[in-house]
Amino acid sequence: MSNRYAALVSWENNIVGIGGDNPVRVQSMTNTDTSDYISTAIQIKELAQAGSELVRITVNTPEAAKAVPLIREHLDKIGILVPLIGDFHYNGHTLLSNYPECAKTLSKYRINPGNVGYGQKKDKQFSQMIEIAAKYNKTVRIGVNWGSLDQDLLAKLMDENQAKPNPDSNEEIIKQALIQSALESAEFAQDIGLAPQNIVLSCKVSQVNTLIDVYQRLDKMCKYALHLGLTEAGMGIKGIASSSVALGILLNQGIGNTIRVSLTPLPNEARTQEVIAAQEILQALGMRNFVPSVTACPGCGRTTSTYFQTLANDIDTYLRKNMPIWKQTYKGVETLKIAVMGCIVNGPGESKHADIGISLPGTGESPSAPVFIDGNKQITLKGENIAAQFQVIVENYIQQRFGK
C-alpha cells in the first residue's frame, strides 16, 4: 500500500490521509434525504462518533446541493469535523457548477463514469466536474460499478470479444470493462488537470470472488489509491461475512486504502453497524485498533448460565460508549485487551493473555471469579455484584495505565 499515491482529504484541522503510508481508512454513507440537513447532520455525527473517518452523502438535487453548506455549518458547531464526500450521478456537473458553495464545502467528490453522461455529452460533463475538483483542489473517487457500467465501452469490448476465435466469458469482459473504465477515466482526469494524488479508484461488484479478482488486477496496473467494498453486501450476517471475506483477503495482500461495508440495515437499525463492521475487519487483521477488544468464549454445556454472555456484552457496550471521550484523554486505550470467559477450561489461560481477564464460574464450579491483570491473578470476585466490581477494575486499570 505504501507505493500508492497519497491523497489528503481534510476539513479545517482534521486531515485524513489516503494511500501512501497512511492507514486504511474507514468510510460510510448516510441514507437520509440530504435536503433534510438536520437529519443528515445527525446521522453524520453518529457515523463519525462511531469511527467513520469519511462520510459520503447523496447530492442529487438542487435542494441537496443547497443543504450541503448548512450540514457542514451544523457539524462544525458541534465539533464534528469529519470530511464530507459528495456522491454524484447523472447531474453532478450541473450541481457543482450551479452551487459553488456545495463544491467548495465538500472535501471529496465521487463520480461514476458509467452515468456521468452519454454520447458526446459524456466527456464534456466529466471534464466539467474534474475541472471544478482541480480548481478547488478536491480529491475525486472515480467509482466504477458493474450495475452501471459505461454501456458504450462494454458494447465495444463485447463486440471485439465475439470476433475472437475463442471468446472470453461475459463475466471476464465485464471485469475488463470495469478496470478499463476506471483507468481510462483516471488518465482523462489527469489530462484535464487533476493531480494523480487526488484520484482514488474503485471497481465495485456484488460477488466476492469477482471483487477479489478485479482488485488484484487493478492493483498491478496503477498507483492510484484504491477504495474497497462490495457494492451491495447484503443484510446482517450475510453482508458482514461477504465483506469480511472479500476485504480481508485483499487487505491481507496489501490491497486497499479505504473501505466501506455496505450493509443493508434492518428497519430502525443503527446505520453505525457498517462502521463497526469495517473497524472489526481491520482490527481482526491487526492493521488498526479502534476500541479495546473483548475476547469471550462461545459457551458450551459447562456454561449453562448466560451470566458471562451478559457481562461480555455489557463490557463491550461500555467500552464503545466511552471511546469517543477516552480517545481524547487516554492515549493508546484502543489497544486494551479484555477477556470474559465462562468456565475453568480456557478461562484462566485466556485471562492471562489479556490485559484484564475474568474467568466466571461454569456449571457446577465454585461461585467465584478470579481476575487476572497483566497476566497475574489479582483478586477473586464473589457474590451478586461481580459485573459491577469488574467494571470498576477495568475503569481503574484504564486510568492507571493510559492516564499518563
Side-chain angles (χ1 to χ4, degrees):
M1 286 178 281
S2 61
N3 65 341
R4 302 270 136 199
Y5 294 119
L8 296 178
V9 182
S10 63
W11 183 254
E12 293 191 356
N13 62 345
N14 181 28
I15 301 173
V16 180
I18 299 173
D21 292 320
N22 292 293
V24 177
R25 301 298 187 178
V26 172
Q27 183 175 309
S28 61
M29 185 176 184
T30 60
N31 61 356
T32 56
D33 179 352
T34 306
S35 63
D36 182 352
Y37 76 92
I38 293 295
S39 295
T40 302
I42 290 171
Q43 191 173 84
I44 292 170
K45 180 191 75 170
E46 293 170 351
L47 291 167
Q49 289 181 334
S52 185
E53 295 164 291
L54 299 152
V55 177
R56 183 157 53 111
I57 59 176
T58 297
V59 186
N60 59 337
T61 63
E63 292 74 23
K66 291 176 186 176
V68 170
L70 299 175
I71 293 168
R72 183 75 271 172
E73 181 182 355
H74 187 78
L75 292 170
D76 291 348
K77 285 181 180 179
I78 57 177
I80 303 297
L81 302 181
V82 62
L84 302 180
I85 305 166
D87 192 52
F88 296 98
H89 297 275
Y90 309 110
N91 60 351
H93 61 292
T94 300
L95 296 175
L96 286 171
S97 298
N98 292 350
Y99 301 94
E101 287 306 310
C102 168
K104 286 186 276 188
T105 299
L106 293 168
S107 298
K108 182 182 172 190
Y109 310 156
R110 187 273 178 138
I111 303 174
N112 183 340
N115 56 31
V116 167
Y118 304 96
Q120 295 180 344
K121 292 182 179 180
K122 178 183 176 182
D123 287 353
K124 180 181 178 182
Q125 293 174 181
F126 183 83
S127 298
Q128 198 172 338
M129 299 177 76
I130 296 299
E131 286 169 358
I132 293 171
K135 177 182 177 181
Y136 296 123
N137 193 30
K138 303 296 184 181
T139 295
V140 174
R141 172 159 72 92
I142 297 173
V144 185
N145 191 309
W146 77 340
S148 51
L149 259 173
D150 181 334
Q151 292 303 300
D152 291 338
L153 173 61
L154 183 59
K156 173 177 173 288
L157 293 180
M158 286 290 187
D159 289 342
E160 292 175 353
N161 184 56
Q162 290 304 314
K164 295 178 181 178
N166 297 299
D168 294 317
S169 67
N170 286 345
E171 182 181 351
E172 172 59 25
I173 299 306
I174 291 174
K175 292 178 184 178
Q176 294 176 17
L178 284 163
I179 295 169
Q180 188 170 327
S181 177
L183 294 177
E184 288 182 353
S185 298
E187 184 177 351
F188 187 27
Q190 281 191 242
D191 291 341
I192 296 167
L194 192 64
Q197 61 268 25
N198 281 356
I199 297 174
V200 178
L201 297 186
S202 67
C203 291
K204 287 193 170 185
V205 301
S206 298
Q207 295 179 359
V208 170
N209 288 333
T210 303
L211 188 86
I212 293 168
D213 188 19
V214 167
Y215 273 94
Q216 287 172 336
R217 298 188 203 184
L218 187 61
D219 175 65
K220 296 176 181 177
M221 299 171 71
C222 72
K223 287 191 174 183
Y224 302 111
L226 301 178
H227 172 75
L228 304 184
L230 293 166
T231 187
E232 295 100 9
M235 299 179 69
I237 293 175
K238 185 268 181 186
I240 293 173
S242 297
S243 294
S244 298
V245 172
L247 273 58
I249 288 173
L250 290 168
L251 290 167
N252 205 43
Q253 294 174 356
I255 300 171
N257 305 101
T258 64
I259 64 171
R260 181 188 173 207
V261 177
S262 300
L263 295 179
T264 303
L266 294 171
N268 301 316
E269 184 179 41
R271 188 71 166 178
T272 53
Q273 288 299 310
E274 69 173 50
V275 177
I276 295 171
Q279 290 178 331
E280 290 293 345
I281 290 171
L282 293 173
Q283 195 149 323
L285 290 168
M287 301 182 77
R288 295 188 67 182
N289 290 297
F290 297 94
V291 295
S293 65
V294 178
T295 299
C297 68
C300 66
R302 291 176 175 270
T303 55
T304 53
S305 167
T306 60
Y307 193 86
F308 83 97
Q309 296 165 311
T310 301
L311 179 57
N313 182 68
D314 289 348
I315 288 294
D316 188 63
T317 301
Y318 165 74
L319 295 172
R320 288 189 178 278
K321 179 181 177 181
N322 284 280
M323 272 307 293
I325 301 171
W326 285 350
K327 66 182 180 182
Q328 305 296 330
T329 308
Y330 302 120
K331 185 176 180 180
V333 68
E334 66 276 4
T335 63
L336 178 68
K337 292 180 173 59
I338 297 175
V340 179
M341 306 302 293
C343 77
I344 61 173
V345 173
N346 292 317
E350 286 284 357
S351 297
K352 289 177 182 177
H353 289 306
D355 296 311
I356 308 173
I358 184 169
S359 180
L360 294 163
T363 304
E365 294 173 10
S366 173
S368 61
V371 175
F372 297 81
I373 298 178
D374 295 328
N376 299 308
K377 182 179 176 182
Q378 295 291 325
I379 190 173
T380 297
L381 303 179
K382 298 181 180 181
E384 298 180 355
N385 296 316
I386 289 177
Q389 295 177 65
F390 185 64
Q391 184 168 309
V392 170
I393 291 171
V394 172
E395 291 173 352
N396 290 338
Y397 183 89
I398 288 172
Q399 292 173 4
Q400 293 171 12
R401 178 176 168 182
F402 300 103
K404 301 175 183 178

